[in-house]
Amino acid sequence: LADERRDIGLKMALERDVHLVRFEDGRIEFRLAEGGRPTLATDLGNALLAWTGRRWAVTLSQEDGEATLDARAKAAVQSRHQGAASHPLVQAVLKNFPGAQIVDVRDKAPDPPDLGDVPPPDSDDPDL
């Protein structure tokens, strides 16, 4: 919702500073990351009230909670880089091009659907 409502400050704080402990309908409990703004629970509660029209119980916890969204995203990027770096083709490229480095790893685009025996659109087939 913070992203949809373009509340970038709140969105960034939620991604960087929240270790989610519990999430239930109408209730959010989290541990605040070190350096996170102390008013985040109140700010989130007020924003949710404005956005949803209902009160949410937003509380701080001392429990560890989950990794932050930011930490999880960084771990996923690192995992993808490690996976790519271990691929034999990538290793060969890095070996043959000194100084080359992996800058980004993207998922492969899905293969186009198999159209079987369908002729291309510019075909001279009069039945098309």
Side-chain angles (χ1 to χ4, degrees), residues 2 18-19 21-22 32 39 41 64 74 93:
V18 170
H19 295 273
V21 174
R22 282 184 194 78
L32 189 62
T39 61
D64 285 341
K74 287 177 182 174
V93 169

Side-chain angles (χ1 to χ4, degrees), residues 65-82:
E66 299 176 10
T68 64
L69 293 176
D70 187 53
R72 289 166 44 181
K74 287 177 182 174
V77 167
Q78 181 178 9
S79 175
R80 288 172 32 167
H81 272 95
Q82 288 172 342

Side-chain angles (χ1 to χ4, degrees), residues 75-98:
V77 167
Q78 181 178 9
S79 175
R80 288 172 32 167
H81 272 95
Q82 288 172 342
S86 68
H87 190 280
L89 182 60
V90 174
Q91 288 178 348
V93 169
L94 293 174
K95 179 181 175 186
N96 287 300
F97 293 94

